[in-house]
Amino acid sequence: MSIFASFCQAVFGFLISLLLVYNLRMSSFLPKSIQVLIEEFGRLPGIGPKSAQRLAMHLLHSPESRTHQLAEAVGGLKNGLQFCNVCWNIAEESLCRLCSNPARNQRQICVVEEILDVVAIEKTLEYKGVYHVLHGTLSPVDGIGPEQIKIEALMERVRAFSGHETIKTDVAQPTSKVEVILATNPGLEGETTAMYLMRLLKPLGVKITRIARGLPVGGDLDYADELTLTKAMQGRMDYV
Amino acid sequence: MSIFASFCQAVFGFLISLLLVYNLRMSSFLPKSIQVLIEEFGRLPGIGPKSAQRLAMHLLHSPESRTHQLAEAVGGLKNGLQFCNVCWNIAEESLCRLCSNPARNQRQICVVEEILDVVAIEKTLEYKGVYHVLHGTLSPVDGIGPEQIKIEALMERVRAFSGHETIKTDVAQPTSKVEVILATNPGLEGETTAMYLMRLLKPLGVKITRIARGLPVGGDLDYADELTLTKAMQGRMDYV
């Protein structure tokens, strides 16, 4: 029993020392400026301590001009940037390039979660309307309610078209029906947000559509999950 | 046949248009400063276009002070940094903290591939010798020969101890045999480098050791590959 006790003690001691060693900040063996950069990189999303180390080492081995370019790009990121007054997309003036473009149909509003979703849809070169960036989704678990995202701004925008309020954009076309395309992601939170918006928008009498959910191009029926396949069947269209 | 031909033409046209859309730089829909930052992030190793976008968007949504901290950390990385004259580790003076530390055994030289390997070994708190950073491994495929990495510097260092040349460090202890620990990674290139170094160093009459290859602590015999298990069996030691 005494052997077992001393063995347990040794194992315990070993584990404690392992923890201690682990908690020692590894970067204390490196010069201060590298430590600072590793910490800064480590704060970015999706970059763990190991990646942060590797990035710092990469920059250490790259020429001075490269690090200066990166530093300037980071430092100058927000210079002259603001959110568009109408659609909350990122903009260089009070109106973004899309909202101020008279060729765009201002009566077709595509509601997306993030700025990058605008980029994704723009890449298709198919959509000719404008956007509304929510900057998030409803997520009661994370304490994100309708007030935390740009829902009220969207409602004001749509109400303006319905004649309840004056129109804010100079370039609105007074013809054709207003359409709100709900293009939030087809996940739990995106669907919840889309459903919430639909209930808010319905009384205003605008046309409300939701982006199609179905099989991705190049996808495989055999590998699709049941929900996607159900949506694909429900959303089937006449084949012309 | 004409239906098939027109079908083929349509498919071909579709593919070409897909390629065109794909090649369009997506960032052209974003303001210039964000485009620049996405490009700069995308040049870092292990960060693809998607991650670069996400990082840029994260910084866009974070407070001004955070982006400035990161910019300063990147810009100030190389301020006052140089490589150690003796071991090629990163240093704030002409000698690194380890080479200038009289408590370190200057006659025990651990040869590693990268600066981060020094950090990894220092974290164990077990090693009391000094290092030599090769800054790479021999890799004929990538055109990296003995001249491209710090092998000649290592040879000079070891030769100095053997009395062929004058000793460069002020703090060398003239007692005990010189030991060179080959701690390159146990992969193909690391093993090649270790073997090459062994052949160069042997005529100098120094003690040459190689770090043990075997099962990692917490590892599973059942999941170990044959080579690791072979090395573990070959490297077995008296159990005390």
Side-chain angles (χ1 to χ4, degrees):
Chain A
M1 189 59 195
S2 74
I3 292 173
F4 183 68
S6 66
F7 172 72
C8 284
Q9 208 173 359
V11 168
F12 190 70
F14 176 69
L15 286 178
I16 290 291
S17 67
L18 262 189
L19 270 176
L20 276 176
V21 169
Y22 187 79
N23 282 329
L24 263 178
R25 300 243 325 272
M26 66 80 219
S27 41
S28 60
F29 304 108
L30 289 172
K32 182 82 183 147
S33 66
I34 305 183
Q35 286 178 41
V36 171
L37 184 59
I38 291 177
E39 274 171 34
E40 287 296 330
F41 273 141
R43 282 192 194 138
L44 297 176
I47 296 188
K50 278 280 171 197
S51 308
Q53 278 183 38
R54 263 159 226 276
L55 289 177
M57 285 301 141
H58 172 83
L59 285 180
L60 200 63
H61 286 102
S62 36
E64 193 90 9
S65 61
R66 286 277 303 108
T67 56
H68 274 288
Q69 276 172 15
L70 179 59
E72 272 171 30
V74 173
L77 172 65
K78 296 195 183 181
N79 284 357
L81 286 191
Q82 52 181 303
F83 290 112
C84 173
N85 283 349
V86 174
C87 75
W88 291 89
N89 188 5
I90 197 74
E92 282 157 310
E93 289 163 54
S94 64
L95 280 185
C96 74
R97 291 186 201 177
L98 300 164
C99 285
S100 58
N101 183 352
R104 291 288 186 145
N105 181 3
Q106 304 284 336
R107 300 176 74 79
Q108 195 174 30
I109 303 172
C110 180
V111 181
V112 293
E113 292 177 15
E114 301 294 348
I115 296 164
L116 286 182
D117 300 335
V118 174
V119 175
I121 296 176
E122 282 301 290
K123 272 162 78 182
T124 66
L125 302 178
E126 287 290 328
Y127 182 62
K128 299 291 172 225
V130 291
Y131 295 89
H132 188 90
V133 184
L134 292 176
H135 289 279
T137 45
L138 293 178
S139 174
V141 181
D142 304 318
I144 299 173
E147 294 79 25
Q148 273 74 45
I149 60 178
K150 307 296 175 198
I151 287 184
E152 189 44 41
L154 172 67
M155 294 308 295
E156 268 178 38
R157 233 177 128 182
V158 178
R159 266 189 226 114
F161 282 114
S162 313
H164 292 271
E165 281 174 49
T166 50
I167 291 168
K168 278 199 173 179
T169 55
D170 336 321
V171 280
Q173 293 99 341
T175 51
S176 82
K177 196 174 181 180
V178 173
E179 178 181 0
V180 177
I181 304 169
L182 301 174
T184 52
N185 287 326
L188 178 67
E189 289 165 1
E191 291 289 356
T192 312
T193 310
M195 200 167 288
Y196 181 84
L197 286 176
M198 190 262 288
R199 295 204 180 158
L200 280 186
L201 290 165
K202 208 153 204 181
L204 299 180
V206 293
K207 184 178 175 187
I208 307 168
T209 54
R210 177 91 176 101
I211 47 161
R213 283 138 307 170
L215 289 171
V217 176
D220 197 325
L221 220 83
D222 203 20
Y223 283 87
D225 61 295
E226 289 82 0
L227 216 57
T228 300
L229 216 48
T230 309
K231 293 284 184 189
M233 291 298 283
Q234 284 171 355
R236 69 189 183 277
M237 293 193 295
D238 291 331
Y239 195 57
V240 280
Chain B
M1 189 61 195
S2 74
I3 291 175
F4 182 69
S6 66
F7 173 73
C8 284
Q9 207 174 1
V11 167
F12 189 71
F14 177 68
L15 286 178
I16 290 290
S17 67
L18 263 189
L19 270 176
L20 276 177
V21 168
Y22 187 79
N23 282 330
L24 261 179
R25 302 241 326 274
M26 68 80 218
S27 42
S28 59
F29 304 110
L30 289 171
K32 182 83 182 143
S33 65
I34 305 184
Q35 285 177 42
V36 172
L37 185 59
I38 291 177
E39 273 170 33
E40 287 295 330
F41 273 141
R43 281 191 195 139
L44 297 175
I47 297 188
K50 278 279 171 197
S51 308
Q53 277 183 36
R54 262 161 227 276
L55 289 177
M57 285 302 142
H58 171 84
L59 285 180
L60 199 63
H61 285 100
S62 39
E64 194 91 10
S65 62
R66 286 275 306 106
T67 55
H68 273 288
Q69 276 171 17
L70 179 59
E72 273 172 30
V74 173
L77 173 64
K78 296 196 183 180
N79 283 357
L81 286 192
Q82 51 181 303
F83 289 112
C84 173
N85 282 349
V86 174
C87 75
W88 291 89
N89 187 5
I90 197 76
E92 281 157 311
E93 289 163 54
S94 65
L95 281 185
C96 74
R97 290 184 201 178
L98 300 165
C99 286
S100 59
N101 183 353
R104 290 291 186 141
N105 181 3
Q106 304 286 336
R107 298 177 74 81
Q108 196 175 30
I109 303 172
C110 179
V111 181
V112 294
E113 293 177 15
E114 300 293 347
I115 297 164
L116 286 181
D117 299 335
V118 174
V119 175
I121 296 177
E122 282 300 292
K123 272 162 77 183
T124 66
L125 302 178
E126 288 289 329
Y127 182 63
K128 298 292 173 223
V130 291
Y131 295 89
H132 188 88
V133 184
L134 293 176
H135 289 279
T137 46
L138 293 179
S139 174
V141 181
D142 303 318
I144 299 173
E147 294 78 28
Q148 273 73 48
I149 60 178
K150 306 295 174 196
I151 287 184
E152 190 44 41
L154 173 67
M155 295 307 294
E156 267 178 40
R157 234 178 127 181
V158 178
R159 265 189 227 115
F161 282 113
S162 312
H164 292 271
E165 280 175 50
T166 50
I167 291 168
K168 279 202 172 176
T169 56
D170 337 320
V171 280
Q173 294 101 343
T175 52
S176 83
K177 197 173 180 182
V178 173
E179 178 182 359
V180 177
I181 304 168
L182 301 174
T184 51
N185 287 326
L188 178 67
E189 289 165 2
E191 292 288 356
T192 312
T193 310
M195 202 167 286
Y196 181 83
L197 286 176
M198 191 262 287
R199 295 200 179 162
L200 279 186
L201 290 166
K202 211 156 201 179
L204 300 179
V206 292
K207 184 177 174 187
I208 307 167
T209 54
R210 177 92 175 98
I211 47 160
R213 285 138 304 171
L215 290 169
V217 175
D220 198 324
L221 219 82
D222 204 18
Y223 283 88
D225 62 296
E226 289 82 1
L227 217 57
T228 300
L229 217 47
T230 309
K231 293 283 183 189
M233 291 298 282
Q234 284 171 353
R236 69 189 181 278
M237 291 193 294
D238 290 331
Y239 195 57
V240 280

